[in-house]
């Protein structure tokens, strides 16, 4: 596996652990609904967090709007809708973006909670 793929998996695990520490249950990792993949689906109380993880090898954080394209957002919304229907869930749904970077001290994550709204794309 390429080094960037390895770092991507490490970044996803790092973010998943942050959600768990904040009281979320990780329901799915790398959930596919063609052609979309949701990196992390987490739930706390009545909120479902659809999390897109971006791994970066440099230490500047992008705006979340720049790190996920409009077409990717549309695919995420469609996939989230399908997941909610398949699992027959009655939840609030939000879309988060986590940008993980390598630093000299390890990893760092910038979390963009409610990074975009489904009805705005």
């Amino acid at each position: 596996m390429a080094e960037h793929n390895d770092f991507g998996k490490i970044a996803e695990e790092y973010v998943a652990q942050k959600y768990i520490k904040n009281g979320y249950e990780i329901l799915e990792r790398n959930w596919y609904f063609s052609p979309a993949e949701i990196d992390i689906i987490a739930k706390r109380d009545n909120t479902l967090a659809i999390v897109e993880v971006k791994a970066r090898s440099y230490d500047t954080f992008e705006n979340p709007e720049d790190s996920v394209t409009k077409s990717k957002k549309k695919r995420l919304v469609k996939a989230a809708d399908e997941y909610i229907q398949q699992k027959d869930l009655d939840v609030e749904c939000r879309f988060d973006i986590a940008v993980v970077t390598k630093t000299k001290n390890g990893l760092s994550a910038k979390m963009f909670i409610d990074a975009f709204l489904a009805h705005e794309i």
Side-chain angles (χ1 to χ4, degrees), residues 72-84:
K72 174 70 174 185
K73 290 175 185 177
K74 286 181 180 182
R75 289 191 304 271
L76 286 171
V77 169
K78 188 174 181 179
D81 186 52
E82 180 65 23
Y83 182 82
I84 291 167

Side-chain angles (χ1 to χ4, degrees), residues 65-120:
E65 298 82 16
D66 297 336
S67 65
V68 180
T69 65
K70 187 173 182 176
S71 61
K72 174 70 174 185
K73 290 175 185 177
K74 286 181 180 182
R75 289 191 304 271
L76 286 171
V77 169
K78 188 174 181 179
D81 186 52
E82 180 65 23
Y83 182 82
I84 291 167
Q85 287 182 36
Q86 281 185 17
K87 303 296 182 180
D88 194 29
L89 298 176
D90 183 20
V91 293
E92 297 293 321
C93 182
R94 72 167 201 247
F95 297 88
D96 299 350
I97 299 172
V99 180
V100 178
T101 58
K102 291 180 185 179
T103 68
K104 62 183 175 184
N105 298 321
L107 297 178
S108 178
K110 178 71 175 178
M111 310 296 285
F112 298 94
I113 306 302
D114 267 333
F116 65 92
L117 301 174
H119 69 273
E120 291 180 342

Side-chain angles (χ1 to χ4, degrees), residues 16-85:
Q17 290 305 313
K18 287 192 165 296
Y19 276 84
I20 290 167
K21 287 177 185 172
N22 282 295
Y24 286 82
E25 175 186 2
I26 303 301
L27 301 179
E28 302 282 349
R29 302 266 308 261
N30 305 112
W31 190 83
Y32 287 92
F33 176 68
S34 187
E37 175 193 4
I38 299 174
D39 294 328
I40 298 170
I41 301 174
K43 184 177 182 286
R44 183 175 70 188
D45 300 324
N46 194 41
T47 301
L48 194 68
I50 305 299
V51 185
E52 175 69 11
V53 179
K54 293 296 190 182
R56 300 290 184 248
S57 58
Y58 47 90
D59 64 355
T60 58
F61 293 111
E62 299 176 71
N63 290 326
E65 298 82 16
D66 297 336
S67 65
V68 180
T69 65
K70 187 173 182 176
S71 61
K72 174 70 174 185
K73 290 175 185 177
K74 286 181 180 182
R75 289 191 304 271
L76 286 171
V77 169
K78 188 174 181 179
D81 186 52
E82 180 65 23
Y83 182 82
I84 291 167
Q85 287 182 36

Side-chain angles (χ1 to χ4, degrees), residues 1-12 30 32 37 102:
M1 183 180 284
E3 185 177 329
H4 71 278
N5 289 341
D6 290 342
F7 180 46
K9 295 299 177 193
I10 291 167
E12 287 177 9
N30 305 112
Y32 287 92
E37 175 193 4
K102 291 180 185 179

